[in-house]
Amino acid sequence: MAAAAEATPSAVTPPRPRLLALRAQPCAQHRRALPSRWVASASSRGRARPRPRPAPSSHNGTVVPGRRSGVREYMEAAGDMVRRPDGGPPRWFSPLECGGAGSRIPGAPTMLYLPGIDGVGLGLIRHHERLAKMFDMWCLHIPVEDRTTFERIVEYVERTVRSERSRAPDRPVYLVGESVGACIALAVAARNRDIDLVLILVNPGTSFHRSQLQSLSAFLDLVPDPFHLSTPQFLNFLAGNFMKTRPTSDGAGQALSEITTGLLPSLMYLADILPKESIVWKMKMLRTASSYVNSRLHAIKAQTLVLASGNDELLASREEGERLKGTLQNCRIRHFRDNGHKILLEDEFDLVTTIKGAGYYRRTRQTDFVSDYLPPTPDELEKAIDRDRVLTYATDPVMLSTRPDGKIVRGLAGLPREGPVLLVGYHMLMGFELGPLVTGVLRSTGIHIRGLAHPFMFSKTSEQLMPDSSAHDLHRIMGAVPVTPVNFYKLLSEKQFVLLYPGGAREALHRKGEEYKLFWPEQSEFVRMASRFGATIIPFGAVGEDDICDMLLDYNDLLKLPFYDVLDKRLNEDGLKLRTDSTGEIKNQGMHPVVLTPKVPGRFYFVFGKPIETRGREKELKDKEKAQHLYLHVKSEVESCLKYLKEKREEDPYRSILHRLLYQAANGSDAEIPTFEP
């Protein structure tokens, strides 16, 4: 089929996504002519080559490099799509930002976006470019004048899902659904239990019968077109927090004239996108969809992630998310307390980061924490740094390293720059050292450390027990993987920098009086694996936990409390049992809380010991006795690092935060604070 001509966009006009392709199967017969600014091709296999796209621009036409599209771009692009009369039927399109496969990850799964009430299919406009690198992405467009029933749309999406399963049977198919689109995704999953689906449900419309939308749908029948746009509920529905009416001193909503003065251009686009007749029809569809899906939730087995806005004034998204989490067989939830109904268009929300943090990105039937991992972006790294910013400021970590000749220097010049490298060390209380260690090394050297972590950080049960279900998301974003022999093998085989704590949870959750004591297994665990890949072993020590807190209650104290055994059982019932063949204290790798009392902060100190080479020693270290000897040598080096730091910190005139604050007051807040001479 011949491609339509593409109009060259003006340099001063906000860019609009352009349609690249309509799928030849199963909906080739549903093609319609597209506006000249859109490009169509014959099939998904032979897409038109995307042309260079202008950088996003501000409202006055000034180009703003790197700025992501937002609400204004969404409304203008959506208005452009629906301006021509189009009675349907629904069909798929791929935005220009998602058309080129050159930068896409090999074996990327398909993502199908199912829009909300607007039906335009541009709800992911802010996320197109990032998603296009991870997915073969297609969006569903439901024309304004289309009156296809909910059941027919479900069948249409279902045919596409089955087609994608046939094309790539080993890959999952992602369905991202917003409000009514989430109902479509759930319906497809209930009807196709044998297909590997991953559902991302954004403020799902399954709570329709308990929401304000039900009363709004009845009210719209009484309001003439286009005055339905002036209702406060409708404005909130269209743009969430962006168009929310602010209460005046008497508690009444902001006057319509005040709203429309600032939003008149947007409202003109919205009048085209969502006329009253279309809204009334789609409200009826949402009512049908909610009833249909709620009666079939028990049949859904698909991996599901619910994104629930806490400030959604139309749907009871927070409560509905919790209900779905308890009802669906394989469901997790992420709460966004301050976000509104249109969370996908809000500046602070990033869908890719959310998917990565929840551990929901995979390219095969099972998640591969090594090959499916995507390194953090600068924004994600900044979030990780922000999480530990107070701790880092309070402790001002000092990092030392050892050169191959044995000389200790300040900084990380002694660390190798090429992997595979295995960093083996002491695990501070509560893992306080993890954030400053991983982000500090990454910022200073560009070395990305991948940590082998306790399975507790990846289990659904642990999320349910945490005050915030996303508490461990940043650890996953920064590269943590469950500690298993397979993951250890894969990381070393890819020449990664791997962080291993042989003492595990027992060391990080030690008892009173056990500071800086190693709880390592008696037998070597990592030496032969490291030698197999010729990895360089770096022993290291970290001290400072006793300079920021004292332990008030340890595990032995907690066991004496009434009913603690119930919590203890819940914390560990879903966890993978580690080191079941070990004996003594090291066998105890269970998770439990500790109660701490803060102190006036001191300082954290890290020292990376002399590199230990295993390259060329694989045959030698196959001998258990020689491997054990090297293992004990590494353990001794870690103990020496700890001893060195505990002694040398006594020489640091800036160990106390009070002295450091005085130094910064005199020399500037960005001045590097001195420490002891190595």
Side-chain angles (χ1 to χ4, degrees):
M1 180 180 292
E6 179 185 14
T8 303
S10 168
V12 297
T13 304
R16 301 180 175 95
R18 283 148 287 184
L19 298 183
L20 266 180
L22 303 179
R23 290 204 182 275
Q25 297 295 334
C27 51
Q29 69 274 21
H30 291 161
R31 293 206 185 107
R32 292 290 185 272
L34 299 171
S36 60
R37 69 179 68 246
W38 310 83
V39 178
S41 65
S43 71
S44 62
R45 301 290 183 180
R47 293 178 181 171
R49 180 181 299 273
R51 299 186 182 181
R53 185 172 55 90
S57 59
S58 64
H59 182 55
N60 62 8
T62 305
V63 174
V64 184
R67 189 174 73 84
R68 297 172 69 178
S69 300
V71 175
R72 185 182 301 279
E73 288 81 7
Y74 160 77
M75 288 192 226
E76 294 181 355
D80 187 59
M81 284 187 70
V82 304
R83 191 160 288 125
R84 287 192 175 189
D86 186 350
R91 62 263 197 185
W92 300 105
F93 71 91
S94 183
L96 179 62
E97 298 95 322
C98 307
S103 61
R104 187 177 302 138
I105 295 172
T110 296
M111 172 179 280
L112 304 177
Y113 170 64
L114 310 173
I117 291 293
D118 63 289
V120 177
L122 291 174
L124 295 178
I125 189 170
R126 294 190 65 252
H127 313 273
H128 284 163
E129 291 187 26
R130 290 199 66 193
L131 289 170
K133 297 176 182 179
M134 301 164 54
F135 300 97
D136 182 11
M137 185 178 163
W138 296 86
C139 305
L140 183 64
H141 175 60
I142 304 175
V144 172
E145 298 176 12
D146 178 72
R147 296 297 177 261
T148 304
T149 64
F150 171 75
E151 291 81 1
R152 293 291 186 185
I153 294 177
V154 169
E155 292 171 1
Y156 177 69
V157 175
E158 182 178 63
R159 288 197 300 273
T160 306
V161 166
R162 291 176 177 174
S163 173
E164 289 300 306
R165 194 267 300 268
S166 298
R167 183 178 65 86
D170 295 329
R171 301 179 198 171
V173 177
Y174 281 71
L175 300 179
V176 178
E178 188 178 9
S179 62
V180 68
C183 294
I184 296 171
L186 287 166
V188 171
R191 293 160 55 109
N192 297 272
R193 303 179 66 186
D194 60 322
I195 298 180
D196 185 12
L197 297 173
V198 180
L199 310 184
I200 311 295
L201 310 180
V202 185
N203 296 326
T206 47
S207 64
F208 175 81
H209 296 286
R210 304 187 307 277
S211 71
Q212 294 189 36
L213 284 181
Q214 179 161 291
S215 58
L216 176 61
S217 63
F219 176 71
L220 286 176
D221 288 332
L222 306 176
V223 180
D225 195 353
F227 293 103
H228 64 289
L229 294 176
S230 66
T231 62
Q233 298 96 330
F234 194 66
L235 290 174
N236 289 337
F237 168 71
L238 289 171
N241 291 335
F242 296 100
M243 294 185 179
K244 203 166 289 182
T245 56
R246 296 191 299 269
T248 57
S249 57
D250 61 357
Q254 192 176 8
L256 176 61
S257 59
E258 296 178 37
I259 299 173
T260 54
T261 298
L263 299 174
L264 183 58
S266 299
L267 291 173
M268 292 173 64
Y269 284 110
L270 295 175
D272 292 332
I273 299 170
L274 288 169
K276 175 188 167 183
E277 183 181 352
S278 176
I279 279 290
V280 171
W281 168 259
K282 289 177 179 178
M283 288 293 182
K284 292 178 180 178
M285 179 194 294
L286 183 55
R287 180 184 293 109
T288 301
S290 178
S291 299
Y292 181 97
V293 169
N294 279 316
S295 64
R296 292 165 173 79
L297 291 177
H298 63 280
I300 297 173
K301 298 193 303 182
Q303 185 182 12
T304 304
L305 178 65
V306 178
L307 310 183
S309 295
N311 206 15
D312 189 339
E313 295 189 356
L314 295 180
L315 295 171
S317 295
R318 183 174 63 84
E319 295 80 4
E320 183 65 8
E322 291 294 333
R323 184 180 77 92
L324 292 176
K325 183 186 71 174
T327 304
L328 299 176
Q329 300 176 32
N330 186 12
C331 180
R332 298 192 183 191
I333 187 172
R334 290 295 180 268
H335 288 286
F336 299 89
R337 182 181 61 183
D338 299 325
N339 294 89
H341 185 75
K342 301 295 288 185
I343 182 174
L344 293 175
L345 293 175
E346 297 183 23
D347 289 336
E348 298 302 318
F349 176 77
D350 192 305
L351 181 60
V352 169
T353 299
T354 302
I355 292 173
K356 289 168 58 178
Y360 268 58
Y361 183 69
R362 57 185 174 91
R363 291 177 288 169
T364 56
R365 292 187 179 276
Q366 299 294 329
T367 301
D368 188 322
F369 290 95
V370 178
S371 63
D372 287 337
Y373 177 70
L374 302 175
T377 64
D379 286 343
E380 290 166 348
L381 174 59
E382 199 60 35
K383 286 183 180 179
I385 293 171
D386 283 342
R387 178 195 58 190
D388 298 309
R389 195 174 296 278
V390 173
L391 177 64
T392 302
Y393 178 78
T395 58
D396 188 39
V398 174
M399 290 197 176
L400 310 169
S401 60
T402 308
R403 292 176 177 170
D405 61 4
K407 180 177 176 58
I408 298 177
V409 296
R410 186 169 186 183
L412 300 174
L415 283 183
R417 291 301 188 263
E418 294 183 1
V421 171
L422 177 61
L423 297 104
V424 185
Y426 169 73
H427 212 350
M428 265 194 201
L429 179 66
M430 300 292 291
F432 284 134
E433 84 286 359
L434 277 171
L437 171 63
V438 174
T439 59
V441 171
L442 182 56
R443 293 189 75 181
S444 299
T445 66
I447 294 172
H448 185 197
I449 297 174
R450 304 289 304 277
L452 294 167
H454 196 286
F456 179 85
M457 294 174 55
F458 301 86
S459 75
K460 180 179 178 181
T461 300
S462 69
E463 286 189 3
Q464 295 172 343
L465 294 174
M466 302 295 287
D468 180 3
S469 60
S470 63
H472 298 306
D473 285 10
L474 275 176
H475 293 294
R476 288 188 279 261
I477 288 172
M478 293 304 296
V481 304
V483 55
T484 67
V486 172
N487 287 336
F488 190 21
Y489 177 95
K490 289 181 177 179
L491 288 171
L492 291 178
S493 69
E494 294 194 1
K495 302 183 182 302
Q496 300 278 347
F497 282 68
V498 184
L499 177 62
L500 174 66
Y501 293 108
R506 178 62 182 87
E507 202 166 87
L509 300 174
H510 59 69
R511 319 295 190 248
K512 294 176 181 176
E514 294 178 345
E515 300 86 12
Y516 310 121
K517 178 180 178 181
L518 300 184
F519 289 89
W520 288 24
E522 294 181 0
Q523 302 299 319
S524 62
E525 292 186 325
F526 55 82
V527 171
R528 282 186 287 180
M529 184 76 81
S531 66
R532 180 170 185 173
F533 296 97
T536 302
I537 300 175
I538 307 289
F540 74 91
V543 304
E545 64 182 65
D546 53 342
D547 267 0
I548 62 171
C549 63
D550 287 318
M551 187 176 295
L552 182 62
L553 298 177
D554 64 11
Y555 184 62
N556 295 330
D557 298 321
L558 294 173
L559 288 175
K560 300 174 185 177
L561 298 178
F563 309 113
Y564 175 74
D565 57 329
V566 177
L567 175 60
D568 193 44
K569 183 178 180 180
R570 285 210 63 192
L571 281 170
N572 296 286
E573 63 183 356
D574 194 38
L576 176 68
K577 301 300 181 183
L578 302 176
R579 293 181 174 143
T580 54
D581 56 344
S582 299
T583 59
E585 285 292 330
I586 190 59
K587 185 176 181 179
N588 182 10
Q589 292 290 323
M591 304 299 291
H592 60 82
V594 294
V595 181
L596 308 174
T597 56
K599 299 169 64 174
V600 175
R603 205 170 191 181
F604 280 180
Y605 302 87
F606 297 85
V607 62
F608 296 93
K610 184 178 179 180
I612 301 172
E613 297 291 345
T614 67
R615 192 182 308 275
R617 302 179 62 185
E618 181 180 358
K619 290 183 179 180
E620 172 193 349
L621 294 174
K622 283 183 178 179
D623 183 279
K624 289 186 178 181
E625 185 175 339
K626 292 182 179 179
Q628 181 69 10
H629 182 269
L630 181 57
Y631 174 76
L632 293 176
H633 173 61
V634 175
K635 182 179 180 182
S636 175
E637 286 295 303
V638 173
E639 291 173 331
S640 296
C641 289
L642 294 172
K643 181 181 178 181
Y644 171 83
L645 290 175
K646 287 193 291 183
E647 291 175 354
K648 294 295 288 185
R649 68 177 176 175
E650 300 295 336
E651 304 174 13
D652 187 358
Y654 299 101
R655 179 177 174 183
S656 169
I657 190 175
L658 301 179
H659 295 156
R660 296 198 298 273
L661 290 174
L662 290 174
Y663 182 88
Q664 288 182 322
N667 297 276
S669 59
D670 294 332
E672 182 180 47
I673 301 174
T675 185
F676 57 80
E677 284 295 323

